[in-house]
Amino acid sequence: MNQFKMILRLAWRNLWRNHRRTLIMIAAIVIGAWSMIFMTALMRGMVDDMVADGISVLPGHVQIHHPDYRDDPTIANVIAPPSGELLEALGGAEVVAWATRVRVPAVISSERDTRGVTLVGIEPLRERDISFVAGDVVEGEFLTSPDDRGLVIGRKLVEKLETGLGKRVVVMSQDQENEIADRGFRIVGIFESKLAQYEEGFVFAGETVVQKLLGVGDQISEVAILGSDYRNVETLFRSIEAAAGDGVETLPWNEIDSYLGSMLAVMDGFVIVFIVVVFLALSFGLVNTLVMAVFERVREIGLMLALGMTPRSILGQIVTESVLLLIIGLVIGNVAAIATIEPLKDGIDVSIVGEGMEMMGASSVLYPALYLKDIVMANLIVIILGFFASLSPAWRASKYDPIRAITKV
Amino acid sequence: MKSVTCKQLCKTYHQGEVEVIGLDHVDLEINEGGFVCLSAPSGGGKTTLLNAIGGLDTPDSGKIWLAGERIDTLGKGELANMRLHRIGFVFQAYNLIPVLTARENIEFVMEVQGVPADEREKRSTAILREVGLEGLGDRRPAQMSGGQQQRVAVARAIVSKPALVLADEPTANLDSHTAEQLMELFVELNEHHGTTFVIATHDQRVMRYAKRVIHMLDGKVVDDERRDVA
Amino acid sequence: MSNITFRLAWRNLWRRKRRTWLTVGAMVFSNIILVFLISMQLGMYAMMIENTLRAQTGHLQVQAPGYKDDLKMRQVVPDVIDLAAKLRSEIGSDEIAARASAFALVSSEERSYGLQISGVEPEFETRVSSLPGLVTEGRFLEDAMAEEIVIGSVLARNLRTGLGDELTIIGSGRDGSFAAAVVTVVGVFESGMPDMDRGFAEVPLGFFQDTFYMEGAGHSVVVMAPTLIQVGALGGRVESLLPAGEGLVVHNWDVLLPGLKQAIQADFVSAWFMYGILIILVAFSVLNTQLMSVLERTKEFGITMSLGVTPGRLGRLVLLESGLMGSLGLLLGIVFGGALVAWLGHTGFTYPGLEEMAGQFNLPGRIYPQFSAIGLLMGPMIVLLASVTASIYPAVRLHWLEPVAAMRAAE
């Protein structure tokens, strides 16, 4: 213990013998650590946002469909509403909310124009807890019941159709007998979404009204189920799948939207690659600093060896010096990263490339997401790899022959 | 014409908290073609005076002229230019650039002066012969003896035929034989080219060659002895 | 820079071999990563642009003002077939074709879908679009007036229809009146782009005009340039050839598909954040090395200055040393990075999950980095520049060096 204290003291003092070099190295570590954490937070924030939006707009964490629905999303592929065992499972603790929907392709016409859309029949009260529409109605009102005869459509679609609140539109789809079914709706609500695609492509009506229009009785297209954490849907998925039985297809969100699912997985890998790459760029400087520090002190190290210090304590001293350097840099880097992320918590406006972000499925405001897990990982990677990187110069120093080292000019 | 004129030069150093007097109201005139030794014990002020004359160090007060031109008021760049073209320096430790060969060390100064390559080559070959290092031009400093290195340093100092050569303990690390050879080289340059030499030394082997010996103590000139060369 | 100074700088580098190699190593490492990633990005962007433009908008489009935002039936280009013919002959290129487009409900016996139907000139569409080449079943359209349709593979499956089957099209015409027609499926295409395969169909332009009461009008003339770089100039030329008084406009691809360009920009900017960090870290490495190297040589610099060499000249020597290190890093970085790019350009590059993500941008699951001068040089050049810039501080410090004090410094 005493020896460790002495090594620590020696390492600390040696660090400040050449304060310029030490400060430059610390600055490099600070920038490295800052960039690791900052960049990770930005990327996490973007992906979280994409996934959260994607989930809130469409799937829910787990969905139940007719086995053919995903391939052929029409009114032909409907299932019975949840009952029995499934209904029980939906009441379980892991389910935060659930709702049924009838979802079919349709054509909507105003007096001025015609568009292809997805018509979604919803249970307004249940849907409120799951998808975005309820909170985002900016004009008029959200639907009140499955029997509500109004229609809620997106702002962009309203503009394209040159229609407005209170006006009538005609929605055309196909019923179960493959006959064209159409019906006039009054627009009762207009919503806005972060993703223009949804504002343009989806219209919402009462579930019962749509069922009647399409002649499917009480049958539905899907059951959407929301759990507490989208990152961990496995348990929820398993219990629902078991309860739903074999006649239907039960899927977690990351299989329904493989783009979002793979995005999340790829990002996990990318974060580690980024941290390691930055560390490697840093490691050259770190090793260099240690090599220089050792080189300058050849005689001194020889003297210590001659005085009876063990090669192991020499090794320990150099490695301690390196670890001290890393710790100082990391502490400042962490603080700097948190200090830069904190004021950005309200979002970074990237609307200048908004449509590009949308193409990636992200919104035009970035919310950095700082995870303890990422911070710990970045720091651990730097300390552990840094430790190994400093072994080589330290090892060389401990192998000096004392006599030759002392006499070296 | 005076080569060097100093009036009332003063210079004080701080070594930690102690004030050290380097120069204390020094008046001095050295004629062109002079061969002068500055003799003083360690700390007597001879190196300080030499540095002041060479424009390496600025005095706290007093005036210095070189060949009639006032230099204590010049800027750093002008001083550098003056040293480059008019003064040759020889130091106690040979002070060569370790990564350059003997020839390259000599040519480096000429290159900075802007001497064309073929001219540099010609002059460095000639000067190497003159200082007795013919055939050793491609050696690096670490591959040469102390005497050889000092001769390279001298060659570097005199290659562009400066009017004034300032030497600080040039023989300190040399054996007698080499020291004598070096002094004879200086004398020859002094007699044939009229080069003025100011040599700070307390080496009797050097002072034997001097036409004039100025004794200093604690930054003051205490004796000015003109003599015929032995 | 003259010979001896150059030699001096070079030899100074090798006084501390290990230090120099570590510094150069940092450069080479960063340069390889930069060369690889930038070449990769360039390859990806080129493919994204080319695939998307070939499949969708083309490089340029002549449209009625406002059409690109509103896509209204009535925002037309009058006499669109004649205009396309005129542009073809004036410009001397076949890669120009007229189009019209409408939303319609397409029904088979069993199913109906609302989708976008394009009217195209069969003869010229093959020159501007990749779609005709992607027909995997049957054939592309041939006759401008035929009652025929080509549909996406997913749509065909969803409609439960196939070659030779009849489809009913119901929509509204240019004047808002009811438009309907019956067409025969002659071809099915598979683009690999989910949106296209699920919701896109093409019919002959003449037939389209009759069905939707277009009165000879269309919605756009699509123009392809030989290369992306020539798009701007070609746009000007097309603009000058437009009939006066009709208020038609020419849009470049980046206006037609702002998302594509912005996705590239967003990706580019975020990538450069990472590059910037790498470059800064290299710069710090160089700064540290050169500062140490200058401090070590204090005495030597003192002597050199006493010989009359100015601090500025010594500063330039320091910058030259960094420049040499940087050039070495550049050279090795380009060699190794270039080899990596050349190899991957041959075998392609992929990682788990890439395929799913790439589909979003009309990319295949395997990416081939682009072997180009700009991809090879851009990163390493900036690293070189940053290295030299980083040594400005140690170089400038020499101005404060006092020769007398410097010569007294310990070696």
Side-chain angles (χ1 to χ4, degrees):
Chain A
M1 190 60 217
N2 247 343
Q3 201 192 1
F4 177 72
K5 256 175 149 171
M6 188 190 60
I7 285 179
L8 199 65
R9 194 182 313 137
L10 269 173
W12 177 257
R13 295 208 180 138
N14 278 328
L15 213 50
W16 299 106
R17 277 163 70 160
N18 197 326
H19 65 277
R20 254 188 221 98
R21 181 172 64 207
T22 300
L23 286 177
I24 291 175
M25 195 55 226
I26 287 178
I29 299 172
V30 167
I31 291 175
W34 172 82
S35 71
M36 287 173 189
I37 295 168
F38 186 74
M39 185 81 173
T40 305
L42 277 191
M43 289 188 301
R44 289 272 193 230
M46 189 178 97
V47 173
D48 281 4
D49 205 39
M50 280 166 67
V51 173
D53 280 355
I55 290 174
S56 80
V57 167
L58 280 179
H61 295 170
V62 176
Q63 285 189 9
I64 305 169
H65 293 124
H66 187 279
D68 293 334
Y69 179 81
R70 288 213 305 146
D71 211 26
D72 182 20
T74 61
I75 201 63
N77 296 317
V78 285
I79 54 176
S83 61
E85 199 184 337
L86 178 57
L87 201 57
E88 222 166 88
L90 290 173
E94 273 156 8
V95 177
V96 172
W98 65 276
T100 62
R101 298 169 181 154
V102 179
R103 188 147 64 110
V104 291
V107 172
I108 184 169
S109 304
S110 68
E111 295 157 13
R112 309 300 299 263
D113 216 329
T114 302
R115 297 281 138 158
V117 291
T118 299
L119 170 66
V120 189
I122 53 174
E123 305 173 274
L125 292 178
R126 288 190 174 281
E127 198 67 36
R128 253 174 216 285
D129 297 330
I130 296 185
S131 78
F132 73 114
V133 194
D136 292 342
V137 170
V138 290
E139 225 181 292
E141 275 163 25
F142 191 55
L143 304 172
T144 50
S145 76
D147 303 315
D148 197 313
R149 292 158 78 172
L151 190 72
V152 174
I153 80 174
R155 157 85 58 215
K156 287 232 164 63
L157 188 60
V158 168
E159 285 164 11
K160 297 261 148 112
L161 292 173
E162 294 181 47
T163 179
L165 197 65
K167 295 232 172 105
R168 281 182 67 83
V169 287
V170 175
V171 176
M172 247 192 305
S173 189
Q174 189 185 26
D175 65 19
Q176 269 204 311
E177 273 73 53
N178 297 328
E179 297 301 322
I180 298 294
D182 61 347
R183 187 183 193 290
F185 282 96
R186 192 174 298 282
I187 297 173
V188 298
I190 297 173
F191 70 86
E192 279 179 6
S193 161
K194 281 193 271 184
L195 304 176
Q197 189 182 338
Y198 295 109
E199 241 184 81
E200 240 179 277
F202 286 80
V203 300
F204 298 85
E207 190 176 51
T208 316
V209 176
V210 176
Q211 282 166 338
K212 216 174 277 169
L213 170 69
L214 303 175
V216 289
D218 65 349
Q219 296 188 96
I220 52 166
S221 303
E222 68 188 17
V223 184
I225 301 131
L226 202 65
S228 51
D229 179 12
Y230 68 83
R231 284 174 183 277
N232 189 8
V233 292
E234 202 53 31
T235 2
L236 174 66
F237 166 62
R238 292 273 168 245
S239 70
I240 297 293
E241 191 187 33
D246 290 337
V248 294
E249 182 181 53
T250 307
L251 286 174
W253 68 269
N254 51 358
E255 283 179 46
I256 297 167
D257 191 332
S258 61
Y259 172 66
L260 282 182
S262 59
M263 193 78 177
L264 202 67
V266 166
M267 202 48 75
D268 279 335
F270 187 76
V271 163
I272 294 180
V273 169
F274 179 73
I275 290 174
V276 170
V277 163
V278 169
F279 171 79
L280 286 178
L282 205 60
S283 68
F284 286 94
L286 180 69
V287 174
N288 211 348
T289 302
L290 292 179
V291 166
M292 283 192 257
V294 168
F295 190 86
E296 279 171 4
R297 298 208 293 265
V298 171
R299 290 164 85 163
E300 209 175 299
I301 290 166
L303 185 69
M304 286 179 183
L305 286 167
L307 288 177
M309 212 174 193
T310 59
R312 263 185 53 175
S313 11
I314 299 287
L315 183 104
Q317 196 191 315
I318 305 291
V319 171
T320 308
E321 217 170 304
S322 158
V323 171
L324 277 178
L325 203 60
L326 288 169
I327 288 176
I328 298 172
L330 282 174
V331 167
I332 303 175
N334 281 308
V335 171
I338 293 167
T340 34
I341 290 169
E342 205 51 45
L344 297 174
K345 273 267 161 27
D346 295 336
I348 305 162
D349 187 5
V350 289
S351 53
I352 189 156
V353 290
E355 286 175 67
M357 298 298 283
E358 188 167 309
M359 197 165 166
M360 295 190 233
S363 70
S364 54
V365 181
L366 271 183
Y367 299 93
L370 201 57
Y371 288 110
L372 188 63
K373 177 184 88 176
D374 290 334
I375 299 180
V376 169
M377 183 168 68
N379 285 293
L380 274 185
I381 288 180
V382 172
I383 286 282
I384 292 173
L385 292 184
F387 173 82
F388 285 110
S390 48
L391 276 181
S392 142
W395 180 257
R396 283 168 59 88
S398 71
K399 287 289 150 203
Y400 280 137
D401 173 4
I403 309 295
R404 286 178 56 189
I406 291 173
T407 51
K408 186 174 160 111
V409 184
Chain B
M1 187 75 169
K2 302 289 177 221
S3 174
V4 180
T5 308
C6 301
K7 285 234 164 80
Q8 294 292 304
L9 287 187
C10 292
K11 178 80 184 178
T12 313
Y13 294 106
H14 296 269
Q15 256 173 9
E17 307 212 327
V18 189
E19 269 197 4
V20 180
I21 294 176
L23 296 175
D24 190 356
H25 299 88
V26 172
D27 285 311
L28 184 67
E29 285 191 339
I30 295 169
N31 290 329
E32 270 185 7
F35 198 100
V36 179
C37 277
L38 295 175
S39 169
S42 285
K46 53 187 190 304
T47 300
T48 312
L49 181 57
L50 214 56
N51 286 342
I53 295 172
L56 284 177
D57 209 352
T58 38
D60 298 335
S61 65
K63 296 166 183 171
I64 309 170
W65 289 263
L66 286 191
E69 190 190 344
R70 179 94 182 261
I71 66 155
D72 54 292
T73 52
L74 295 179
K76 271 190 177 177
E78 293 163 309
L79 283 173
N81 199 40
M82 180 200 77
R83 287 198 298 272
L84 186 59
H85 293 282
R86 289 168 37 193
I87 301 178
F89 265 103
V90 181
F91 300 97
Q92 169 180 358
Y94 333 116
N95 287 337
L96 301 176
I97 299 172
V99 293
L100 295 182
T101 63
R103 180 188 291 279
E104 285 166 344
N105 259 290
I106 296 166
E107 287 195 19
F108 180 65
V109 178
M110 286 193 280
E111 188 187 306
V112 177
Q113 287 170 338
V115 179
D118 50 344
E119 173 73 14
R120 286 204 304 260
E121 160 103 43
K122 217 169 69 190
R123 273 157 67 174
S124 62
T125 307
I127 200 86
L128 279 166
R129 192 184 317 121
E130 216 170 314
V131 298
L133 291 175
E134 212 169 358
L136 298 182
D138 290 333
R139 295 213 180 158
R140 293 213 189 170
Q143 300 165 315
M144 291 188 283
S145 72
Q148 287 169 331
Q149 286 186 51
Q150 189 62 305
R151 275 184 278 170
V152 175
V154 170
R156 185 178 64 186
I158 62 178
V159 66
S160 41
K161 304 277 181 288
L164 175 64
V165 171
L166 303 173
D168 190 1
E169 304 275 14
T171 57
N173 297 321
L174 302 182
D175 61 62
S176 300
H177 179 65
T178 316
E180 222 150 279
Q181 278 184 330
L182 185 69
M183 288 320 293
E184 268 155 24
L185 185 65
F186 280 9
V187 169
E188 191 191 312
L189 282 166
N190 178 250
E191 284 171 0
H192 287 95
H193 300 286
T195 311
T196 309
F197 278 82
V198 180
I199 304 165
T201 188
H202 49 240
D203 186 344
Q204 288 303 323
R205 297 173 301 189
V206 174
M207 278 189 269
R208 283 212 328 261
Y209 293 87
K211 294 176 187 168
R212 178 181 171 195
V213 179
I214 297 168
H215 294 272
M216 294 180 72
L217 191 65
D218 297 334
K220 288 194 189 96
V221 174
V222 291
D223 191 13
D224 192 343
E225 164 195 2
R226 284 157 206 269
R227 47 158 102 151
D228 295 324
V229 182
Chain C
M1 194 65 77
S2 56
N3 213 354
I4 292 183
T5 313
F6 191 83
R7 256 182 282 168
L8 182 57
W10 180 254
R11 287 183 198 160
N12 277 333
L13 286 187
W14 305 110
R15 285 163 97 161
R16 291 287 178 84
K17 279 204 193 68
R18 185 190 296 260
R19 181 170 67 195
T20 300
W21 274 123
L22 279 168
T23 314
V24 172
M27 293 175 182
V28 173
F29 172 76
S30 301
N31 282 345
I32 290 175
I33 289 191
L34 289 176
V35 166
F36 167 64
L37 289 180
I38 293 175
S39 299
M40 188 90 150
Q41 277 179 305
L42 293 177
M44 246 167 61
Y45 297 161
M47 257 196 310
M48 268 163 78
I49 292 172
E50 216 41 44
N51 291 1
T52 311
L53 299 190
R54 277 281 164 194
Q56 298 176 15
T57 61
H59 287 144
L60 292 164
Q61 283 193 15
V62 178
Q63 294 180 348
Y67 179 75
K68 81 178 165 63
D69 296 318
D70 307 334
L71 299 174
K72 302 262 195 260
M73 276 299 272
R74 62 174 187 280
Q75 293 165 319
V76 296
V77 177
D79 300 320
V80 72
I81 294 174
D82 292 346
L83 178 62
K86 179 186 165 200
L87 290 177
R88 274 192 294 269
S89 72
E90 292 281 340
I91 291 170
S93 161
D94 279 345
E95 299 193 306
I96 296 174
R99 282 185 195 163
S101 165
F103 280 100
L105 188 73
V106 175
S107 311
S108 65
E109 299 248 311
E110 295 181 51
R111 294 276 190 278
S112 295
Y113 281 95
L115 52 98
Q116 197 182 23
I117 294 181
S118 265
V120 300
E121 294 183 280
E123 192 188 347
F124 299 104
E125 186 66 15
T126 48
R127 311 293 184 109
V128 298
S129 164
S130 57
L131 210 80
L134 297 170
V135 172
T136 51
E137 264 181 79
R139 58 167 173 84
F140 189 65
L141 308 168
E142 279 168 3
D143 179 352
M145 298 307 296
E147 294 164 359
E148 295 173 346
I149 192 166
V150 173
I151 60 176
S153 55
V154 178
L155 182 63
R157 201 166 66 222
N158 288 348
L159 284 170
R160 311 242 166 130
T161 191
L163 294 184
D165 292 347
E166 290 193 335
L167 297 177
T168 313
I169 300 173
I170 300 170
S172 27
R174 178 185 175 183
D175 54 2
S177 60
F178 182 75
V182 175
V183 289
T184 309
V185 177
V186 295
V188 173
F189 65 83
E190 204 171 331
S191 70
M193 290 169 235
D195 285 351
M196 303 264 319
D197 291 346
R198 191 181 302 125
F200 192 69
E202 287 189 345
V203 298
L205 182 56
F207 166 71
F208 182 100
Q209 287 173 328
D210 286 354
T211 307
F212 292 94
Y213 312 110
M214 296 300 288
E215 293 164 7
H219 291 114
S220 57
V221 178
V222 180
V223 181
M224 290 303 285
T227 65
L228 211 54
I229 305 156
Q230 283 154 277
V231 170
L234 188 62
R237 179 120 169 77
V238 169
E239 200 150 18
S240 69
L241 292 168
L242 294 182
E246 286 174 8
L248 296 178
V249 290
V250 178
H251 291 306
N252 281 4
W253 65 272
D254 52 341
V255 177
L256 295 167
L257 287 173
L260 181 62
K261 186 160 192 183
Q262 290 176 7
I264 290 173
Q265 282 171 339
D267 182 69
F268 198 70
V269 168
S270 63
W272 273 99
F273 179 84
M274 177 171 163
Y275 302 164
I277 296 294
L278 281 184
I279 292 166
I280 289 172
L281 290 179
V282 171
F284 269 94
S285 218
V286 174
L287 171 61
N288 218 345
T289 298
Q290 286 302 71
L291 195 65
M292 287 309 109
S293 149
V294 166
L295 289 177
E296 271 170 19
R297 286 182 284 168
T298 303
K299 184 166 186 180
E300 193 177 317
F301 284 150
I303 300 159
T304 323
M305 280 166 73
S306 71
L307 295 175
V309 177
T310 56
R313 201 177 174 95
L314 289 177
R316 286 200 293 280
L317 178 71
V318 172
L319 292 182
L320 178 63
E321 288 170 15
S322 302
L324 283 175
M325 263 196 289
S327 306
L328 196 60
L330 177 119
L331 208 71
L332 293 176
I334 289 178
V335 168
F336 291 126
L340 183 65
V341 168
W343 180 61
L344 288 175
H346 187 66
T347 63
F349 174 84
T350 187
Y351 53 85
L354 178 70
E355 197 163 342
E356 286 85 350
M357 288 174 62
Q360 188 91 353
F361 303 99
N362 301 334
L363 286 176
R366 199 164 264 279
I367 291 172
Y368 295 85
Q370 194 176 60
F371 195 85
S372 65
I374 188 156
L376 289 184
L377 286 174
M378 184 149 69
M381 288 298 277
I382 296 175
V383 168
L384 172 61
L385 204 70
S387 307
V388 176
T389 311
S391 36
I392 287 178
Y393 168 66
V396 166
R397 268 176 57 90
L398 291 172
H399 283 273
W400 285 277
L401 202 61
E402 290 292 340
V404 176
M407 279 190 290
R408 242 184 257 130
E411 204 127 0

